[in-house]
Amino acid sequence: EVLLTQSPDTLSLSPGQRATLSCRASQGVGKYLAWYQVKPGQAPRLLIYDVSNRATGTPARFSGSGFGTDFTLTISSLEPEDFAVYYCQQRDVWPPWTFGQGTRVEI
Amino acid sequence: QVKVVQSGGGVVRPGGSLRLSCAASGFSLNDFGIHWVRQAPGKGLEWVAFIRYNKDFKFFGDSVKGRFTISGDNSNTVYLQMDRLRPEDTAVYYCVKDNELGGLFDFWGQGTPVTVSS
């Protein structure tokens, strides 16, 4: 099973600032790393897949990078609606498909 | 328009059973798989189970293996049968369409809460 460790657990920022979220895999997952956004009371939403591909509807301020074991999600300039919890997820080694523990981006 | 609509869930005592349903529209379950993902209160996302009809795939997470089963029918509906439920199964359960790339969760149901408590 691939363990995904996200850092930090919480990121306290202000609108307009840049957010950098990290995800580290316990073994290489190639390019098969995705990011999801979860807001309270809502279903998760796929944001980025295969490291850097934005899903339909994902704004351009969201970008992803990395390969193998180290990955980054960057939000270039935070909008009020971006304050949420973000999860990374790998689809290289399965089952199980695994998620990180999440990073909360808060004001 | 792709949609997955969930039903079922509720409150059950430890050791009891529940069945969750997931009705798919806008796509065929002969072409795409369905995952179940859960989120316990205050916790992160956990993959639970997967079914893919045409490849006869059924997979389960270790925490539910042997207690949960997954099936589908000709009405484009998937069912998650949850037996021998434990308090730690308490969570919001999501039915999720698998993306064509495989292993990506692209369309999520609305979520259904399951509470296991005496």
Side-chain angles (χ1 to χ4, degrees):
Chain A
E1 174 174 334
V2 177
L3 297 179
L4 298 177
T5 303
Q6 294 184 238
S7 61
D9 289 333
T10 303
L11 204 49
S12 298
L13 295 168
S14 299
Q17 288 190 295
R18 182 184 189 90
T20 303
L21 288 67
S22 295
C23 177
R24 175 164 289 179
S26 60
Q27 65 187 78
V29 297
K31 67 174 185 177
Y32 300 114
L33 195 286
W35 293 92
Y36 297 81
Q37 178 190 64
V38 183
K39 295 182 180 179
Q42 297 185 20
R45 170 192 171 194
L46 174 64
L47 284 179
I48 300 273
Y49 66 94
D50 293 355
V51 175
S52 59
N53 296 282
R54 282 187 290 273
T56 303
T58 300
R61 63 181 180 274
F62 290 89
S63 62
S65 62
F67 185 85
T69 60
D70 290 286
F71 302 89
T72 300
L73 174 70
T74 301
I75 311 172
S76 60
S77 177
L78 282 163
E79 296 288 338
E81 62 267 28
D82 299 336
F83 292 91
V85 181
Y86 294 84
Y87 294 89
C88 58
Q89 176 250 328
Q90 66 82 26
R91 67 181 188 93
D92 186 50
V93 179
W94 56 270
W97 292 268
T98 52
F99 293 90
Q101 84 280 12
T103 290
R104 179 180 304 277
V105 177
E106 64 176 25
I107 298 176
Chain B
Q1 183 184 8
V2 172
K3 285 183 74 174
V4 286
V5 177
Q6 301 177 226
S7 59
V11 181
V12 64
R13 295 191 187 278
S17 298
L18 278 176
R19 189 177 81 160
L20 306 183
S21 300
C22 172
S25 59
F27 66 99
S28 171
L29 293 178
N30 288 317
D31 298 325
F32 296 94
I34 289 288
H35 295 270
W36 289 91
V37 176
R38 69 185 181 184
Q39 185 169 29
K43 303 292 185 182
L45 299 173
E46 178 189 12
W47 172 80
V48 173
F50 173 71
I51 183 170
R52 176 74 189 261
Y53 285 15
N54 63 352
K55 295 187 178 181
D56 200 24
F57 282 172
K58 294 181 183 179
F59 299 116
F60 298 91
D62 285 346
S63 61
V64 306
K65 204 171 291 184
R67 300 187 298 120
F68 289 14
T69 57
I70 194 169
S71 62
D73 65 19
N74 293 331
S75 67
N76 225 35
T77 300
V78 168
Y79 305 95
L80 184 69
Q81 177 67 39
M82 305 184 294
D83 298 320
R84 291 185 283 150
L85 282 160
R86 304 168 179 168
E88 56 264 37
D89 295 318
T90 296
V92 175
Y93 285 72
Y94 293 98
C95 164
V96 196
K97 174 186 165 292
D98 190 39
N99 182 270
E100 61 188 4
L101 296 176
L104 271 181
F105 310 103
D106 61 0
F107 285 91
W108 295 68
Q110 78 275 22
T112 188
V114 170
T115 301
V116 184
S117 173
S118 54

